[in-house]
Amino acid sequence: MSPVTATAPVRRLTVLYDARCPLCVHLRHWLQRQRQLVPLDLVPAGSAEARRRFPELDHAATLTEITAVGDLGQVYREASAWIVCLWALAEYRSRAHWLTTPAGRPFARGTVLAAARYLSRAVPPCAPGAVECAAPPGGAWGPR
């Protein structure tokens, strides 16, 4: 990816998510239902499509941390990726701006770490060999 100045506008984002993770799939569906100010392309991390679009990325890393890529090559990982995803949504843009402040940044990072910890302990993995799993029906991860 070529370096991009901080002032470069983001007009489209590709979000690489783990299609074998029930929480990640649930969040993908949630993002799709939101009104988007910046279009989001949701692509399974490590997939042939992800590798074709972004051959320079470390695709193994994209399976362990959410990654968003802007249309000019901007790469956002972990908390920054979640913040830019929220920034792309009409209802959450102001919250995303707050999350970039000194007061909000620790909250963003803590939320990402808490989700990862919860996921590792409470969410059952997808069936072995599944290309993409579905969030379990009902409960916290079910479709809404």
Side-chain angles (χ1 to χ4, degrees):
M1 302 282 161
S2 60
V4 179
T5 64
T7 60
V10 175
R11 293 189 179 102
R12 182 172 214 91
L13 282 167
T14 301
V15 181
L16 303 175
Y17 69 96
D18 185 350
R20 296 168 295 144
C21 158
L23 175 60
C24 304
V25 171
H26 171 76
L27 291 171
R28 181 199 76 182
H29 290 296
W30 180 83
L31 286 169
Q32 287 176 320
R33 290 191 309 269
Q34 304 306 307
R35 188 165 63 90
Q36 299 172 4
L37 298 173
V38 174
L40 298 175
D41 296 327
L42 295 126
V43 176
S47 67
E49 178 66 12
R51 291 174 191 282
R52 183 190 66 75
R53 288 186 185 202
F54 311 110
E56 305 89 2
L57 280 181
D58 176 353
H59 290 278
T62 67
L63 287 166
T64 61
E65 60 188 23
I66 183 173
T67 303
V69 182
D71 55 322
L72 296 177
Q74 309 94 320
V75 177
Y76 306 90
R77 298 181 195 284
E78 298 178 335
S80 295
W82 282 114
I83 292 169
V84 78
C85 286
L86 291 175
W87 173 84
L89 305 176
E91 298 296 320
Y92 296 91
R93 184 163 277 189
S94 62
R95 182 162 300 164
H97 284 294
W98 178 78
L99 289 169
T100 65
T101 67
R105 192 65 186 191
F107 179 78
R109 180 159 167 67
T111 301
V112 169
L113 292 173
R117 184 178 178 118
Y118 180 78
L119 179 62
S120 71
R121 292 183 175 187
V123 178
C126 295
V131 174
E132 179 164 315
C133 67
W141 309 119
R144 302 216 189 283

